[in-house]
């Protein structure tokens, strides 16, 4: 646990530098219970992805890092940067997706020859505390992120813009970047009961099946990443783990430039997050449209966070 006190508001985040790969790709009761813990308590959880990446046939993400609400953290080597080389994902960093189909890991952090407490070690167990401590730092700066793991996850994915060499499946969205995540960002969140989606849709002035937001983005930035994340009930996912798509609620993301032209989007079927990168070639208001593609779990509350990160390479 990390605990920091700011303005009498407790900052709570859980790090787990352990887990089990004994169940292979199975979504286990341990994954279910931690997904439920996050859903019920609104406390973010970061878990080491596992160190099986260089063992053929055993590259599995450990439980409970397979959870849809749990952020699995891969490990990369940042020591080579002193010689001008790129950061590189560690060969041992696990990355095989679980039976639920959600992409793992979500992000990566330094985890090779890390010295702490008088010991020097390597592993995703070193990378995960980096991410968890960074999350606490974000919450100390931006109190609106408190008790919103879905928004925190979106913010960290949007800011994971460090370029890491290696297998993209092992890297996730990218390496965590303190400056990129903290600055030049826009954040919003949508919450409510499951049945509130039509009214949330209508709140932007049009009942067209989309929740819309506009953000003014200058063309002076090299790139923009928008990420959104939402929560799932672990109980539903576990009970439906053998289904083609066990996730209870699925959102899709579309991005339009200031002229209204479609730039692209993100439409994964099984992830609890989406992200999209683009170059802002003109300054103006960019439109982001979110639709609820699937609503299989009618008991799942709407807890959706969105972060827009404009940054320079």
């Amino acid at each position: 646990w990390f605990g920091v006190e700011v303005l009498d508001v407790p900052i709570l985040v859980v790090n787990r530098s352990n887990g089990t790969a004994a169940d292979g790709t199975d979504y286990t009761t341990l994954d279910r219970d931690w997904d439920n813990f996050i859903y019920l308590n609104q406390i973010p959880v970061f878990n080491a992805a596992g160190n099986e990446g260089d063992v053929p046939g055993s590259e599995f993400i450990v439980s409970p890092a397979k959870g849809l609400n749990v952020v699995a953290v891969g490990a990369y080597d940042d020591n080579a940067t002193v010689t001008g080389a790129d950061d590189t994902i560690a060969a041992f960093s696990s990355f095989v997706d679980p039976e639920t189909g959600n992409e793992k890991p979500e992000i990566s952090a330094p985890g090779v020859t890390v010295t702490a407490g008088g010991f020097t070690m390597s592993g995703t167990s070193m990378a995960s505390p980096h991410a968890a401590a960074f999350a606490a730092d974000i919450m100390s700066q931006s109190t609106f992120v408190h008790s919103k793991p879905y928004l925190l996850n979106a913010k960290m994915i949007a800011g994971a813009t460090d370029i890491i060499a290696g297998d993209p499946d092992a890297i996730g969205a990218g390496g965590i970047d303190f400056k990129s995540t903290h600055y030049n960002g826009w954040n919003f969140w949508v919450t409510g009961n499951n049945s509130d989606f039509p009214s949330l849709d209508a709140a932007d002035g049009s009942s067209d099946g989309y929740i819309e937001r506009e953000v003014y983005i200058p063309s002076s930035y090299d790139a923009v990443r928008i990420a959104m994340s939402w929560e799932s009930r672990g109980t539903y996912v576990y009970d439906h783990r053998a289904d083609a798509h066990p996730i209870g609620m699925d959102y899709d993301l579309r991005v339009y430039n200031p002229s209204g032209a479609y730039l692209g989007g993100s439409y994964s079927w099984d992830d609890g997050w989406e992200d999209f990168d683009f170059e802002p070639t003109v300054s103006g208001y960019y439109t982001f449209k979110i639709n609820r593609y699937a609503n299989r779990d009618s008991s799942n509350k709407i807890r959706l966070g969105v972060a827009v990160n404009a940054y320079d390479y």
Side-chain angles (χ1 to χ4, degrees):
W1 290 77
F2 292 89
V4 182
E5 194 77 16
V6 176
L7 299 176
D8 295 323
V9 178
I11 295 174
L12 300 176
V13 57
V14 176
N15 173 69
R16 286 178 52 96
S17 287
N18 66 329
T20 174
D23 296 298
T25 59
D26 292 352
Y27 181 89
T28 69
T29 55
L30 186 60
D31 300 295
R32 177 200 64 193
D33 292 347
W34 277 95
D35 271 347
N36 283 339
F37 170 83
I38 297 167
Y39 184 86
L40 294 173
N41 296 283
Q42 294 303 286
I43 297 174
V45 176
F46 296 83
N47 205 109
N51 303 323
E52 313 296 329
D54 53 358
V55 182
S58 300
E59 309 96 331
F60 310 121
I61 293 287
V62 301
S63 291
K66 289 177 280 191
L68 276 82
N69 300 334
V70 179
V71 177
V73 184
Y76 67 83
D77 185 353
D78 67 333
N79 297 293
T81 55
V82 295
T83 63
D86 291 335
D87 294 337
T88 304
I89 196 71
F92 59 74
S93 192
S94 297
F95 60 90
V96 172
D97 301 337
E99 65 176 331
T100 40
N102 47 319
E103 295 181 48
K104 291 289 180 173
E106 285 86 352
I107 55 176
S108 301
V112 176
T113 59
V114 174
T115 299
F119 297 90
T120 299
M121 302 178 67
S122 296
T124 56
S125 289
M126 281 73 252
S128 187
H130 268 90
F134 183 27
D137 185 55
I138 291 173
M139 287 187 281
S140 72
Q141 181 197 48
S142 305
T143 56
F144 60 83
V145 183
H146 293 180
S147 301
K148 299 182 185 71
Y150 44 92
L151 179 59
L152 175 67
N153 294 352
K155 192 170 178 64
M156 293 193 69
I157 291 170
T161 55
D162 271 0
I163 298 175
I164 310 299
D167 191 325
D169 290 336
I171 296 166
I176 59 173
D177 186 298
F178 283 71
K179 182 179 179 180
S180 180
T181 306
H182 271 308
Y183 299 103
N184 308 321
W186 299 265
N187 310 273
F188 61 88
W189 57 96
V190 182
T191 60
N193 293 318
N194 188 284
S195 59
D196 290 339
F197 189 87
S199 61
L200 295 169
D201 165 23
D204 55 31
S206 175
S207 297
D208 56 0
Y210 295 93
I211 296 172
E212 298 184 21
R213 292 292 187 276
E214 290 185 343
V215 171
Y216 184 87
I217 300 175
S219 61
S220 56
Y221 288 108
D222 291 338
V224 175
R225 175 180 292 173
I226 176 173
M228 67 177 183
S229 175
W230 62 96
E231 292 179 353
S232 297
R233 293 193 314 125
T235 298
Y236 178 91
V237 176
Y238 184 78
D239 290 345
H240 294 263
R241 63 193 185 279
D243 293 358
H245 303 293
I247 192 170
M249 192 180 295
D250 181 27
Y251 294 93
D252 288 336
L253 173 68
R254 293 169 172 80
V255 179
Y256 299 81
N257 71 9
S259 299
Y262 173 70
L263 294 179
S266 184
Y267 312 94
S268 66
W269 288 355
D270 301 302
D271 291 319
W273 57 283
E274 304 282 357
D275 69 324
F276 178 69
D277 295 84
F278 64 94
E279 179 184 348
T281 55
V282 297
S283 298
Y285 283 93
Y286 288 76
T287 301
F288 308 105
K289 295 186 177 184
I290 299 166
N291 75 299
R292 187 164 64 176
Y293 178 80
N295 183 29
R296 305 178 186 95
D297 181 7
S298 60
S299 295
N300 203 125
K301 293 182 180 294
I302 297 172
R303 292 171 178 164
L304 174 70
V306 181
V308 183
N309 176 31
Y311 63 97
D312 295 318
Y313 298 129

